[in-house]
């Protein structure tokens, strides 16, 4: 396989390049289970599914009415959630190539989406400053976290699935307790918009990056 060949060579190289959408590409996510599939979203309002290393899309999914701003595979790689500039979220059934569910609740762009590491949940962050947690069994939003001073652009679940971390344009990084359904602590406040979050897979460590030129 192309990925294995690249790893064996010990040298990084460009694996593939293709025109993925009919406009700017807004988001991309590689499936964690296999590492062999990739999903993209773009200004053409489509969600495209790819096999890593192959030039043509496996599926091209149309149904959004505004640009697709965020995409994420579930842990089984059978479902993709996609967030749009209008705030609507769509659950895509990849086996049948259709929308399984349309979810509304955000009042502005759904900038970021992230699946829970093992549960039937995902979280979404929006320009409306809200972080929402959605339960696929109930097919509804079960928690809405408020308090950010700006658009929520970054979020991550902890590896054990107990917490979710969010970062916003206002500079705050907040840790939320999913079981209690409330803010656990505000970890830090940057002097600029939070641009990235990373959590250590086994230790209680995380890193934040922001427009204030700092990493903490």
């Amino acid at each position: 396989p192309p990925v294995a060949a690249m790893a064996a060579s010990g040298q990084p190289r460009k694996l593939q390049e293709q025109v993925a959408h009919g406009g700017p590409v807004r988001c991309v996510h590689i499936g964690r289970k296999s590492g062999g599939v990739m999903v993209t979203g773009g200004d053409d309002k489509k969600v495209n599914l790819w096999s890593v290393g192959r030039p043509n899309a496996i599926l091209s999914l149309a149904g959004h009415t505004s640009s697709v701003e965020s995409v994420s595979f579930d842990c089984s790689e059978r479902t993709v959630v996609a967030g749009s500039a209008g705030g609507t979220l769509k659950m895509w059934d990849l086996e049948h190539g259709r929308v399984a569910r349309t979810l509304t609740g955000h009042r502005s762009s759904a900038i970021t989406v992230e699946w829970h590491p093992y549960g039937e949940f995902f979280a979404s962050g929006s320009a409306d400053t809200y972080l929402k947690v959605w339960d696929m069994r109930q097919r509804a939003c079960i928690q809405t976290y408020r308090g950010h001073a700006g658009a929520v652009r970054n979020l991550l679940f902890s590896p054990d699935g107990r917490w979710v971390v969010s970062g916003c344009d206002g500079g705050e990084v907040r840790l939320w307790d999913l079981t209690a359904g409330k803010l656990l602590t505000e970890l830090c406040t940057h002097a600029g918009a939070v641009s990235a979050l990373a959590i250590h897979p086994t230790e209680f460590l995380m890193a934040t990056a922001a427009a204030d030129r700092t990493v903490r």
Side-chain angles (χ1 to χ4, degrees):
V3 177
M6 183 171 64
S9 72
Q11 296 295 322
R13 63 179 175 85
K14 181 166 65 178
L15 181 62
Q16 67 185 94
E17 180 178 339
Q18 68 266 356
V19 176
H21 287 269
V25 182
R26 294 291 177 184
C27 48
V28 61
H29 187 239
I30 294 176
R32 293 181 186 140
K33 181 181 179 182
S34 69
V37 288
M38 179 174 73
V39 62
T40 58
D43 275 7
D44 58 4
K45 308 173 188 177
K46 292 181 179 179
V47 173
N48 291 340
L49 181 69
W50 311 82
S51 177
V52 173
R54 305 297 180 186
N56 300 314
I58 301 168
L59 285 174
S60 186
L61 304 167
H64 287 277
T65 57
S66 57
S67 64
V68 177
E69 301 291 311
S70 52
V71 288
S72 182
F73 284 105
D74 72 342
C75 57
S76 70
E77 298 177 354
R78 296 175 182 171
T79 303
V80 163
V81 60
S84 73
T88 300
L89 298 153
K90 287 187 182 292
M91 308 289 305
W92 291 95
D93 178 338
L94 300 181
E95 182 179 355
H96 298 97
R98 61 178 177 82
V99 175
R101 189 76 177 177
T102 298
L103 302 166
T104 59
H106 284 299
R107 298 180 297 177
S108 190
S109 179
I111 301 169
T112 179
V113 290
E114 181 83 8
W115 278 95
H116 190 274
Y118 55 84
E120 294 293 323
F121 309 93
F122 73 88
S124 59
S126 171
D128 63 11
T129 74
Y130 295 159
L131 166 65
K132 290 181 177 287
V133 178
W134 307 80
D135 185 335
M136 290 302 92
R137 294 165 299 185
Q138 299 182 30
R139 298 185 175 185
C141 175
I142 56 170
Q143 293 172 343
T144 298
Y145 298 128
R146 300 172 174 86
H148 275 295
V152 178
R153 294 192 180 273
N154 304 275
L155 62 89
L156 283 176
F157 286 102
S158 61
D160 62 7
R162 294 170 55 197
W163 306 319
V164 62
V165 184
S166 55
C168 80
D169 282 359
E172 306 103 341
V173 177
R174 297 187 171 207
L175 179 66
W176 308 88
D177 186 319
L178 293 171
T179 302
K182 64 180 183 180
L183 179 68
L184 189 62
T185 186
E186 184 167 307
L187 295 172
C188 67
T189 301
H190 284 277
V194 178
S195 53
L197 303 171
I199 297 179
H200 194 284
T202 57
E203 303 289 339
F204 288 104
L205 298 171
M206 70 170 294
T208 65
D212 61 6
R213 303 184 294 176
T214 67
V215 174
R216 300 182 182 181

